[in-house]
Amino acid sequence: VRILISADMEGVTGVTFPDDVAPGSPRWSYHRTLFTGDVNAAIRGFFDAGAEEVLVNDAHADKRNLLLDQLDPRASMLIGTHKPWSMMEGIDRGYDAVAFIGYHAGAGQQGVLSHTYLPNMITGVWLNGAPCSEGYMNAALAHEFGVPVVLVTGDDCAMEDAKTYAPDAKLVAVKECVDRYTAICLPPQRTAELITAAAASSLDPLPTAPAVTGPYRYEIEFDATHPVVMTTAIPDVEQVGPRRVAFELPTMRLAIRCFRAVTALADGSMEATYG
Ligand SMILES: [Zn+2]
């Protein structure tokens, strides 16, 4: 069995505050070790369960957060940004299962550091009418490739979210959300045990990816009107409300690419003080 790990940082053990995940900050430097610890705990569990190969895709910010010299030497790591499949880079390489480590709730939802792609500006995303987090859309892409999601870690809100897109996956809440920048956290010794045990039991039986078909309609709502002007520059992205845009594409491969383009253009329209 070959495993792909998509590793984000907001849902990692002990992470609660923007500074904790902001590349270059002293708190980020500290939390890189805890991030690598959560990932190593999963790697250990997967090899305990008989995995032959584990690839870790660093999926946070500029994708250079995990510490390679502390990584379990049985795994390998995808480092660096501008990847065709972004958070899901590697999904087209024939892996049998994917794990989401350090995931978080979607924009506008309760959850530690909740957001969808952009840290602010987006207030909600819907995929075919359903509330859509990063986990939700990444799972939809994995399912289109026929790959099941077997393990998700993050705060308790991210676990509630995961039940909507990966009902057969093992779930580990490493912290309990009090509010968006506050959580009751378990220490890494405890969460590592929980993550390793969950990963070790996640492959037998190996869940089957649900059969999925398009089309996929995204709706994205912003906290202001000006991102609409920018994002409707993309052909077929249309304004459907004062602060809302939508598009529909036949496959998740295409839809998630278009969503990335929408977020990149929206990000480009952000001003320092007014947002
Ligand atoms: Zn992130």
Side-chain angles (χ1 to χ4, degrees), residues 8-10 60 104 115:
D8 202 356
M9 198 166 181
E10 288 85 354
H60 174 72
H104 51 81
H115 69 286

PDB file of all heavy atoms in Angstrom, residues 8-10 60 104 115, ligand 1:
ATOM      1  N   ASP A   8      -1.247  20.103   6.232  1.00  0.00           N
ATOM      2  CA  ASP A   8      -1.470  21.535   6.440  1.00  0.00           C
ATOM      3  C   ASP A   8      -1.076  21.855   7.884  1.00  0.00           C
ATOM      4  O   ASP A   8      -0.830  20.954   8.691  1.00  0.00           O
ATOM      5  CB  ASP A   8      -2.935  21.884   6.157  1.00  0.00           C
ATOM      6  CG  ASP A   8      -3.128  23.360   5.825  1.00  0.00           C
ATOM      7  OD1 ASP A   8      -2.152  24.126   5.876  1.00  0.00           O
ATOM      8  OD2 ASP A   8      -4.270  23.741   5.529  1.00  0.00           O
ATOM      9  N   MET A   9      -1.017  23.143   8.243  1.00  0.00           N
ATOM     10  CA  MET A   9      -0.424  23.494   9.538  1.00  0.00           C
ATOM     11  C   MET A   9      -1.424  24.005  10.577  1.00  0.00           C
ATOM     12  O   MET A   9      -1.193  23.873  11.778  1.00  0.00           O
ATOM     13  CB  MET A   9       0.680  24.529   9.319  1.00  0.00           C
ATOM     14  CG  MET A   9       1.645  24.657  10.488  1.00  0.00           C
ATOM     15  SD  MET A   9       3.118  25.583  10.018  1.00  0.00           S
ATOM     16  CE  MET A   9       4.034  25.509  11.569  1.00  0.00           C
ATOM     17  N   GLU A  10      -2.562  24.583  10.132  1.00  0.00           N
ATOM     18  CA  GLU A  10      -3.467  25.204  11.101  1.00  0.00           C
ATOM     19  C   GLU A  10      -4.065  24.186  12.073  1.00  0.00           C
ATOM     20  O   GLU A  10      -4.413  24.534  13.203  1.00  0.00           O
ATOM     21  CB  GLU A  10      -4.593  25.957  10.385  1.00  0.00           C
ATOM     22  CG  GLU A  10      -4.149  27.248   9.710  1.00  0.00           C
ATOM     23  CD  GLU A  10      -3.596  27.052   8.314  1.00  0.00           C
ATOM     24  OE1 GLU A  10      -3.449  25.879   7.884  1.00  0.00           O
ATOM     25  OE2 GLU A  10      -3.311  28.058   7.641  1.00  0.00           O
ATOM     26  N   HIS A  60       1.104  23.786   3.305  1.00  0.00           N
ATOM     27  CA  HIS A  60       0.784  25.046   3.993  1.00  0.00           C
ATOM     28  C   HIS A  60       1.604  26.214   3.445  1.00  0.00           C
ATOM     29  O   HIS A  60       2.817  26.088   3.251  1.00  0.00           O
ATOM     30  CB  HIS A  60       1.049  24.902   5.496  1.00  0.00           C
ATOM     31  CG  HIS A  60       0.877  26.199   6.238  1.00  0.00           C
ATOM     32  ND1 HIS A  60      -0.361  26.754   6.457  1.00  0.00           N
ATOM     33  CD2 HIS A  60       1.781  27.055   6.775  1.00  0.00           C
ATOM     34  CE1 HIS A  60      -0.204  27.892   7.115  1.00  0.00           C
ATOM     35  NE2 HIS A  60       1.080  28.105   7.313  1.00  0.00           N
ATOM     36  N   HIS A 104      -8.226  21.906   8.847  1.00  0.00           N
ATOM     37  CA  HIS A 104      -8.973  22.896   9.629  1.00  0.00           C
ATOM     38  C   HIS A 104     -10.332  23.134   8.992  1.00  0.00           C
ATOM     39  O   HIS A 104     -10.550  22.799   7.820  1.00  0.00           O
ATOM     40  CB  HIS A 104      -8.184  24.210   9.673  1.00  0.00           C
ATOM     41  CG  HIS A 104      -7.754  24.665   8.315  1.00  0.00           C
ATOM     42  ND1 HIS A 104      -8.591  25.344   7.456  1.00  0.00           N
ATOM     43  CD2 HIS A 104      -6.587  24.474   7.633  1.00  0.00           C
ATOM     44  CE1 HIS A 104      -7.954  25.564   6.320  1.00  0.00           C
ATOM     45  NE2 HIS A 104      -6.743  25.042   6.388  1.00  0.00           N
ATOM     46  N   HIS A 115     -10.493  28.847   7.672  1.00  0.00           N
ATOM     47  CA  HIS A 115     -10.389  29.628   6.445  1.00  0.00           C
ATOM     48  C   HIS A 115     -10.447  28.643   5.277  1.00  0.00           C
ATOM     49  O   HIS A 115     -10.337  27.428   5.483  1.00  0.00           O
ATOM     50  CB  HIS A 115      -9.064  30.403   6.383  1.00  0.00           C
ATOM     51  CG  HIS A 115      -7.868  29.532   6.204  1.00  0.00           C
ATOM     52  ND1 HIS A 115      -7.362  28.758   7.225  1.00  0.00           N
ATOM     53  CD2 HIS A 115      -7.093  29.267   5.122  1.00  0.00           C
ATOM     54  CE1 HIS A 115      -6.316  28.072   6.778  1.00  0.00           C
ATOM     55  NE2 HIS A 115      -6.140  28.351   5.500  1.00  0.00           N
TER      56      HIS A 115
HETATM   57 ZN    ZN B   1      -2.598  26.128   5.869  1.00  0.00          ZN
END
